[in-house]
Each structure stands twice: as structure tokens, then as C-alpha cells.
Amino acid sequence: MELDELYREAILDHARHPRNFGALEECNRSAAAKNVSCGDAIQLFLRLSPAGRIEVVRFSGSGCAISTASASLLTLAVQGKTAQEAEALFEKIQRLLTGTSAPQDELPGDLAVLAGVRRFPQRVGCAMLSWHALEDALRTGEKNSV
């Protein structure tokens, strides 16, 4: 199986069977993000511990396969991380998708599958949508449109 095919399968799996999908009623941080160019919308819910560790993360919303898969992958990647670790991961993903660097080997779990998205610049906003919501939730908890 070629690497592109493997990436495609992982994206489709997370899009069809998103992990941690659904609202989190007992959250203490949340943020919404909307991609105005395509209509994708994500709401991200976090429960941070008093020490700033992400205890629970969930998402809801609707969007294309890439935005849904990226949100699903995000929830798996940041669960248990500190807010600072999650913000550092946001920076790595942003660099990966914008092509300013390719830290694929530095990414936990299946996040490297998002690298294929950078070949389609019009889809980078879809992949970054939930990550922008994460950044907002960690910094302010306010709603955001991208």
C-alpha cells in the first residue's frame, strides 16, 4: 500500500468514525470556528484541570471529511496534554500544513496523515479549523471564524 493511500484511508476512517464526537456538558473551555469559504463549522469542548491539563476533549459540528478527521485526530492528540503542550502541537500542525516545515516525525499518533493536505491549499483551512478552535479555547474560550 502506498503512503498516499495509507494517508487517505486514515483520513476516511476518522471522517466516518470520528473519535470523541459530541458535546461535553461539563466543560470549562469551549470555542467555535467556522470556515466561511465552505461552511464547515466545529465546536470544541475542553475540560482543563486546575493545573492546566486537558482532561477531556470533545467536538461537534459538521464539515467535510478533512475537517472532521482533523478534529477527531486533534482530540486523540491533545487528550492528557497540558495547555502549553497542546499550543505547541497547534504550532507544529500549522507549520506542517502551510509547508513552512515538515515535522512529521515530531507528531504524535496519526497526526502525520494530515501532511497530505498541504498539497491542496484550498483544503488547509478545513484541516486547521478545529486547531484554530483549540487555540481559541485555550487562550480565551471565545468563538472564532476563519
Side-chain angles (χ1 to χ4, degrees):
M1 181 179 293
E2 288 186 32
L3 194 55
D4 282 348
E5 191 174 323
L6 182 62
Y7 287 165
R8 195 171 21 254
E9 285 301 315
I11 294 287
L12 290 175
D13 178 52
H14 278 273
R16 290 178 183 140
H17 310 287
R19 281 54 157 196
N20 302 304
F21 185 82
L24 177 63
E25 292 187 24
E26 295 179 10
C27 68
N28 53 18
R29 297 283 180 95
S30 68
K34 183 172 184 174
N35 187 333
V36 295
S37 67
C38 69
D40 291 354
I42 296 286
Q43 176 89 24
L44 193 69
F45 307 94
L46 302 173
R47 184 168 54 229
L48 293 179
S49 72
R53 188 166 299 277
I54 299 170
E55 294 178 334
V56 182
V57 57
R58 296 184 59 87
F59 78 99
S60 65
S62 61
C64 68
I66 290 179
S67 67
T68 301
S70 184
S72 176
L73 288 161
L74 174 151
T75 66
L76 295 175
V78 302
Q79 180 81 34
K81 300 260 189 281
T82 66
Q84 293 79 18
E85 291 169 331
E87 286 178 4
L89 197 51
F90 165 86
E91 295 295 330
K92 288 179 184 178
I93 291 294
Q94 189 169 42
R95 288 193 315 269
L96 173 74
L97 292 176
T98 59
T100 56
S101 72
Q104 291 172 290
D105 58 334
E106 299 174 20
L107 297 172
D110 291 335
L111 285 177
V113 302
L114 295 174
V117 174
R118 76 173 158 207
R119 292 185 317 212
F120 306 97
Q122 70 279 16
R123 303 307 299 273
V124 169
C126 301
M128 284 301 300
L129 188 64
S130 58
W131 293 91
H132 285 296
L134 173 67
E135 182 182 43
D136 286 349
L138 291 172
R139 292 186 180 175
T140 64
E142 295 176 354
K143 297 184 184 288
N144 179 42
S145 290
V146 292

